Amino acid sequence: MTTRTTGLPRSYLFTWAALVGLLAATMALAYVPMPGPLNLVLALGISAVKALLVLALFMKLFRAPALTRAAAAAGLFWLAVLFALSATDYLTRKVEPAGDLSAPTGREYQQGDR
Amino acid sequence: MSDAAPASQSAPQPEPQYATVEQQAEAASFGMWVFLATEVLFFGGMLLAYTWLRANHPDGVAEAGRHTTVVIGSVNTLVLLTSSFTMAWAVHAAEHGRQKALTRLLSATALLGLLFLGLKGYEYHGEWTEHLVPGLNFHQDGPHARTIELFYFLYFLLTGLHGIHVTIGIVLIALLAVRARRGAFSARYYTPVEVTGLYWHFVDIVWIFLYPLIYLVGRSGP
């Protein structure tokens, strides 16, 4: 990193510019019709890049001690466990206990129908 | 304590359980990272619920997403990204013992946080008038009404919990600004600034993921 003691480090300015650029990109791409889940994949991909920039440069994760990096990785690991083990249930279910969400509601409809 | 008073004024001493000041700072930072790992799971449960809803009712979620105010959401993303930038800059200023810059940058970060909350409050008000608040004031017609209700239920949980985090962050950063103004930090001791910075960046990262999931879903549709 630049070690000028006055002013701001240039790497932070570039990081901020990159984050703003990615925000503009993700917003514009959201309005472009794409096949299948491509819109979602692109949006989450851009979010992941933004998060990585914040983690690596603002939070200085990649220059942090190994113990710190392990703690950060543990958060993601357990999130993956949460999603993966839940998927073993939801992806193999035939009946959804939440019921039929396509029924019309609004409070007054609900009481009239049932 | 008393015999080493002049020395402890200029060079901070570590607490008795640490060998050096550096080790003490490292332990504080590690503690914050462990806390943030638990926070990932705090938000993770709700993100899992969102994933279920979107996977099972994509059309309803898309319609619900089009009800959100994309302009406010985008401006708020810009505000939070910028506040993360000023926070990182503040830590850099603390590292180099620049007291005045530190005070100003911390104040700027807290003010950007307040701006975020203000815009969010304005948005909540709009959702109330549009009858999009489940349980209190929800009224939508059409085939996707119940999916929209569930989407907004998750929306208020996720953004509400995130808003609480922002509020806590603003209070912490404002307190740091007061302490910095009084000269509590130096190039040798600025651990509270660094650790609070980690928390603030995490809150920013949560929003980075909430933004496309809430505001950009369904935008390419009809």
Side-chain angles (χ1 to χ4, degrees):
Chain A
M1 190 192 288
T2 51
T3 47
R4 290 174 303 155
T5 48
T6 54
L8 83 158
R10 240 186 241 163
S11 60
Y12 287 168
L13 194 62
F14 288 148
T15 308
W16 177 77
L19 287 170
V20 173
L22 285 168
L23 167 62
T26 192
M27 202 168 114
L29 285 171
Y31 286 88
V32 182
M34 292 177 204
L38 203 57
N39 277 108
L40 177 66
V41 171
L42 266 177
L44 285 181
I46 289 177
S47 288
V49 174
K50 282 159 83 181
L52 214 62
L53 282 172
V54 173
L55 280 166
L57 288 130
F58 286 169
M59 299 172 92
K60 302 175 186 171
L61 184 61
F62 295 159
R63 285 190 291 139
L67 194 62
T68 301
R69 280 179 281 153
L76 288 182
F77 173 75
W78 290 114
L79 186 69
V81 169
L82 174 70
F83 272 74
L85 290 187
S86 303
T88 61
D89 178 355
Y90 286 111
L91 292 182
T92 54
R93 245 178 225 228
K94 287 189 175 154
V95 182
E96 293 287 352
D100 182 14
L101 289 184
S102 59
T105 53
R107 293 291 152 209
E108 72 289 358
Y109 285 97
Q110 222 170 24
Q111 280 167 9
D113 284 357
R114 303 179 186 197
Chain B
M1 283 298 261
S2 53
D3 52 324
S8 67
Q9 287 269 313
S10 54
Q13 301 299 306
E15 297 295 328
Q17 68 269 38
Y18 299 108
T20 60
V21 174
E22 287 73 28
Q23 190 195 27
Q24 183 175 317
E26 213 169 272
S29 157
F30 174 63
M32 178 50 84
W33 276 101
V34 170
F35 170 67
L36 295 182
T38 70
E39 290 271 273
V40 169
L41 295 173
F42 195 6
F43 284 96
M46 277 174 278
L47 292 176
L48 178 68
Y50 174 96
T51 307
W52 175 86
L53 184 67
R54 187 158 172 179
N56 287 276
H57 305 278
D59 296 339
V61 170
E63 194 186 324
R66 287 193 286 274
H67 277 86
T68 59
T69 319
V70 70
V71 176
I72 298 183
S74 306
V75 170
N76 256 348
T77 311
L78 182 65
V79 168
L80 268 200
L81 290 176
T82 308
S83 78
S84 236
F85 166 65
T86 56
M87 188 72 222
W89 192 1
V91 173
H92 181 78
E95 244 172 348
H96 291 88
R98 292 166 53 222
Q99 304 288 335
K100 249 188 197 163
L102 174 61
T103 310
R104 280 191 205 135
L105 287 165
L106 287 172
S107 308
T109 308
L111 286 175
L112 285 167
L114 279 177
L115 178 60
F116 175 91
L117 283 185
L119 286 168
K120 198 89 207 93
Y122 179 72
E123 197 183 353
Y124 280 168
H125 172 74
E127 273 133 15
W128 177 267
T129 57
E130 283 173 46
H131 306 286
L132 285 168
V133 187
L136 295 172
N137 183 14
F138 190 86
H139 174 80
Q140 295 294 316
D141 298 320
H144 299 309
R146 286 195 65 190
T147 307
I148 295 174
E149 188 173 16
L150 268 182
F151 176 92
Y152 268 92
F153 178 66
L154 284 170
Y155 163 84
F156 281 105
L157 274 182
L158 280 163
T159 59
L161 188 65
H162 179 266
I164 290 171
H165 279 78
V166 172
T167 309
I168 293 169
I170 292 170
V171 171
L172 291 176
I173 292 167
L175 290 174
L176 285 182
V178 172
R179 286 178 69 191
R181 206 184 141 84
R182 290 180 185 158
F185 306 118
S186 65
R188 285 222 54 187
Y189 175 73
Y190 60 94
T191 305
V193 181
E194 187 167 29
V195 169
T196 309
L198 290 176
Y199 172 82
W200 190 255
H201 294 311
F202 172 80
V203 173
D204 185 29
I205 288 176
V206 171
W207 187 260
I208 284 174
F209 283 101
L210 291 188
Y211 169 66
L213 294 178
I214 290 171
Y215 295 94
L216 299 183
V217 54
R219 293 291 164 194
S220 62

